Every structure is written in structure tokens, then in C-alpha cells.
């Protein structure tokens, strides 16, 4: 199975390493700093956090007022969307985009991840930082480790039993599987408590348990147990789907570095493994700024509203160096990602 996209296949020869004159990234970093794009946007984030909190409160109030009615289920999709906004805030806090003070960033992350979503901020941040350091690296990026899904032919050929069946059909099953992601994130968080230090564990566990108790109390106070269960299933499934829709376009189907090959510098390591999604304000809102995946990976601490401003600088710099800059529409990004997973499973279907 080829792991190289058509755009990458067209890359000029001799461009796989850094130039002898120094880092390819330094001039771009200098230009970005010169335009103030790494400066934090405290006011912008304060408004986003406040609006998100008010919206969550409004939805919770709506659940209580609607009460024990099947009409209350109409609020489950709304809550799923708001929870995705909450996850995006936690994501930005983990990257120090919101606050320069590490303690403040952790507090924001703990509130939005552990307390409001029931997922461990420490677990996610640790895993996500490993991904950022080596995106799509089969030995170092936990996001492409063989698990429910696989991303290379080498991973696919050793699958057996039920996992082999999953791999054969993984492109078709990808979005249905994301319906379980909301619950999976909570399970991973509780499991990770064993790894954490006693002090960290006490804080994270208290907030995780607080989320479960508060969530259950809200639903069971407003609805009968049966309706509450249906609401929870619908809400968590749509929340997981939303996260899947947001993360699927970012790296799947992009180049995967050869562990035994030439080591790439920061610029190529982040650009060649990432894909941007074109769109306007609606796309930016729906994907939480992750549609500027290339810029986000190059500058993880860059505030979300600055990513679109950095895009022209990054594109021009990549063009000057002859480095492919992958960008496509939202629907085509899903087609490319699913197409890659379909290709990985092809040998198993043929056999």
C-alpha cells in the first residue's frame, strides 16, 4: 500500500531534508512573530468562554423546563454541539493558547474537560502532545497506533479475527464508530487515573466524578429514567460524531514518515503530515479552528483567531520552498481520509 498522497508524489526531488543554510522554519517564525500572531487574545477567549458557559446553562435550564417529555430529546443535539465547543476550549487551553500562565491554563482545561465533559485533561494533553511532536509517525504518534482502526498495510496484514473484519470495512465503519467516542473518552480518563500522581489523581478524579453525578442528576431530575437514558445515549453519540467530523480531515491519508528514513525538520514534519480544510466563518466555527491544521501544528500555542491570518504566510513560505501545502474542501477531506482507510483494508478484502 502506498502511503504517499498524489500531491506528495509530485514533490520535487531533493527536498526531503532541511537546507544546508539552516532551519526552513526560522524565517516563517520570524514573520509570524513580526505580525504579532503569537500574542494571546485574552479578550477573545474571555468572550468565547463566557458565551459557551451561558449557552450550556441555557440548555440545562431548557432540559429542566421541558421536563419529562419526549420533546426534551430535541435538546440532545444542541447539547452535543455545545459540548464540542467546550472540547475546543479545553484543546486550546492545553496548547497554552488562552493563557501564558501554566496553572491558569490547566485550571481552564480541568473545568472544560473534566468537570463539563467528564474526560481527563491530563490524559488527553499527554497523548495529544505526543501526537503533535511526531504526527503520523507510526512508532511515536499514538493517534496512528494500531487499535480499532489501522493506518498502514503493515498494521493491517497482522490483524486476525474480529479486528481483521473491522479493518476490511473500516472506511464504512469509521463514522458509525465515532458515535462511541464520547463514552470512550470518559473511559480512557478514568483508566488514566492509575498513572497520575496522587495529587493530580485526587483533583482529576473529584472533577470526573462531579461531572458524572451532575450529569445524572440533571437528567434524572428532569426526566424519567427511560427518557434520561435515551437522552444520554443520543447526546453522547452526537457529541462523539461531532468530534469525529472535526478530527477526521486533519491527518488521515497524509504522508507518514518512514521511521528508518531521513529525519524531517519541524516545518516539513508538520506540513507534510497535515491537511487544511477550506471554508469561511461557518467552517471555522464548526471545526473549532482545526481546519487550519497546518498552521496549528506549526504554531501550537497560536490563538485560534490568528490561525487564518497566518495561513497566507505559511502558504507563501511553502510555495517558495517547493513544499506541498495540502488544502481541500470539507467533503473532499472526508473522501480523502476514508479513501486512505479503504485502501489500507483492500488486501484483506481481496484475500
Amino acid at each position: 500500500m502506498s502511503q504517499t498522497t498524489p500531491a506528495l508524489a509530485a514533490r520535487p526531488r531533493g527536498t526531503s531534508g532541511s537546507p544546508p543554510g539552516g532551519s526552513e522554519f526560522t524565517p516563517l517564525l520570524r514573520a509570524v512573530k513580526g505580525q504579532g500572531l503569537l500574542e494571546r487574545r485574552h479578550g477573545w477567549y474571555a468572550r468565547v468562554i463566557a458565551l459557551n458557559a451561558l449557552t450550556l446553562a441555557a440548555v440545562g435550564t431548557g432540559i429542566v423546563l421541558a421536563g419529562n417529555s419526549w420533546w426534551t430529546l430535541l435538546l440532545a443535539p444542541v447539547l452535543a454541539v455545545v459540548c464540542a465547543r467546550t472540547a475546543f476550549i479545553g484543546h486550546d487551553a492545553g496548547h497554552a493558547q488562552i493563557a501564558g500562565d501554566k496553572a491558569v491554563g490547566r485550571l481552564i482545561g480541568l473545568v472544560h474537560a473534566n468537570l463539563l465533559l467528564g474526560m481527563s485533561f491530563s490524559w488527553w494533553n499527554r497523548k495529544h502532545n505526543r501526537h503533535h511532536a511526531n504526527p503520523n509517525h507510526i512508532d511515536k504518534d499514538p493517534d496512528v497506533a494500531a487499535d480499532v482502526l489501522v493506518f498502514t498495510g503493515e498494521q493491517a496484514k497482522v490483524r486476525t479475527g474480529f479486528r481483521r473484519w473491522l479493518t476490511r470495512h473500516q472506511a464504512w465503519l469509521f463514522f458509525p464508530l465515532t458515535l462511541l467516542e464520547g463514552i470512550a473518552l470518559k473511559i480512557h480518563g478514568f483508566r488514566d487515573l492509575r498513572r497520575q500522581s496522587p495529587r493530580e489523581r485526587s483533583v482529576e478524579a473529584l472533577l470526573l466524578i462531579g461531572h458524572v453525578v451532575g450529569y445524572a442528576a440533571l437528567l434524572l431530575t428532569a426526566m424519567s429514567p427511560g427518557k434520561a437514558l435515551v437522552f444520554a445515549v443520543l447526546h453522547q453519540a452526537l457529541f462523539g460524531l461531532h468530534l469525529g467530523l472535526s478530527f477526521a480531515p486533519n491527518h488521515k491519508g497524509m504522508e507518514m514518515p518512514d521511521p528508518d528514513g531521513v529525519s524531517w525538520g519541524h516545518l516539513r514534519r508538520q506540513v507534510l503530515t497535515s491537511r487544511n480544510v477550506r471554508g469561511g466563518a461557518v467552517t471555522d466555527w464548526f471545526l473549532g479552528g482545526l481546519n487550519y491544521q497546518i498552521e496549528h501544528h506549526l504554531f501550537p500555542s497560536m490563538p485560534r483567531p490568528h490561525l487564518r491570518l497566518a495561513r497566507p504566510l505559511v502558504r507563501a513560505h511553502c510555495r517558495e520552498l517547493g513544499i506541498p501545502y495540502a488544502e481541500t474542501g470539507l467533503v473532499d477531506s472526508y473522501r480523502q481520509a476514508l479513501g486512505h482507510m479503504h485502501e489500507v483494508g483492500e488486501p484483506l478484502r481481496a484475500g
Side-chain angles (χ1 to χ4, degrees), residues 211-258:
H211 169 81
V212 173
V213 172
Y215 184 73
L218 172 64
L219 299 188
L220 292 173
T221 299
M223 292 170 273
S224 66
K227 290 188 180 72
L229 178 61
V230 174
F231 184 100
V233 169
L234 182 60
H235 165 226
Q236 296 299 331
L238 293 178
F239 171 54
L241 177 62
H242 194 331
L243 292 182
L245 289 169
S246 301
F247 287 100
N250 299 345
H251 303 282
K252 293 175 177 59
M254 296 305 298
E255 185 151 335
M256 303 185 74
D258 183 353

Side-chain angles (χ1 to χ4, degrees), residues 23-318:
S23 169
E24 296 173 313
F25 180 61
T26 302
L28 177 61
L29 177 61
R30 189 180 303 118
V32 165
K33 283 185 175 179
Q35 293 198 14
L37 297 180
L38 293 180
E39 297 176 7
R40 290 178 176 83
R41 294 283 299 274
H42 298 119
W44 187 89
Y45 273 111
R47 292 191 295 273
V48 167
I49 291 172
L51 179 60
N52 190 71
L54 289 172
T55 307
L56 276 172
V59 174
T61 302
I63 292 172
V64 172
L65 293 177
N68 191 30
S69 167
W70 288 111
W71 291 106
T72 310
L73 297 183
L74 293 177
L75 290 173
V78 180
L79 185 57
V81 172
V82 181
C83 284
R85 311 301 105 205
T86 304
F88 294 147
I89 294 172
H91 168 271
D92 292 2
H95 281 297
Q97 295 177 22
I98 302 175
D101 189 305
K102 190 174 182 180
V104 173
R106 181 169 181 263
L107 177 61
I108 295 173
L110 286 170
V111 169
H112 287 81
N114 293 57
L115 183 60
L116 296 179
L117 297 178
M119 58 177 284
S120 169
F121 180 69
S122 175
W123 166 79
W124 175 85
N125 212 32
R126 181 171 177 267
K127 174 177 178 289
H128 195 61
N129 286 339
R130 290 167 57 205
H131 156 71
H132 264 265
N134 292 281
N136 269 14
H137 192 293
I138 200 65
D139 293 335
K140 300 178 180 180
D141 182 358
D143 288 355
V144 293
D147 193 6
V148 177
L149 303 173
V150 297
F151 303 96
T152 71
E154 291 298 312
Q155 291 175 328
K157 69 182 183 181
V158 298
R159 304 282 269 187
T160 59
F162 179 64
R163 287 179 178 265
R164 186 178 181 88
W165 179 87
L166 278 177
T167 301
R168 284 204 302 264
H169 305 286
Q170 64 178 5
W172 294 100
L173 294 172
F174 176 75
F175 284 118
L177 285 171
T178 63
L179 297 173
L180 303 173
E181 185 66 14
I183 299 299
L185 290 172
K186 294 172 174 57
I187 295 173
H188 284 305
F190 275 101
R191 285 179 174 174
D192 189 63
L193 292 174
R194 293 173 295 182
R195 176 197 61 82
Q196 298 172 13
S197 66
R199 182 178 178 181
E200 185 178 45
R201 184 187 308 128
S202 62
V203 174
E204 292 241 347
L206 180 65
L207 293 173
L208 289 175
I209 294 171
H211 169 81
V212 173
V213 172
Y215 184 73
L218 172 64
L219 299 188
L220 292 173
T221 299
M223 292 170 273
S224 66
K227 290 188 180 72
L229 178 61
V230 174
F231 184 100
V233 169
L234 182 60
H235 165 226
Q236 296 299 331
L238 293 178
F239 171 54
L241 177 62
H242 194 331
L243 292 182
L245 289 169
S246 301
F247 287 100
N250 299 345
H251 303 282
K252 293 175 177 59
M254 296 305 298
E255 185 151 335
M256 303 185 74
D258 183 353
D260 301 319
V262 177
S263 178
W264 295 341
H266 178 70
L267 183 76
R268 293 175 188 269
R269 183 166 59 248
Q270 305 300 341
V271 173
L272 297 177
T273 58
S274 303
R275 177 192 296 110
N276 274 15
V277 177
R278 286 191 298 267
V282 174
T283 303
D284 291 0
W285 174 84
F286 181 73
L287 298 181
L290 296 177
N291 45 312
Y292 302 107
Q293 190 67 196
I294 295 174
E295 288 71 28
H296 171 56
H297 261 258
L298 287 171
F299 308 99
S301 65
M302 180 179 287
R304 195 192 311 174
H306 289 172
L307 294 172
R308 66 179 181 85
L309 303 177
R311 175 175 166 270
L313 297 176
V314 176
R315 287 190 65 185
H317 189 64
C318 289

Side-chain angles (χ1 to χ4, degrees), residues 8-26:
L8 293 170
R11 186 176 62 205
R13 294 181 63 185
T15 62
S16 60
S18 298
S23 169
E24 296 173 313
F25 180 61
T26 302

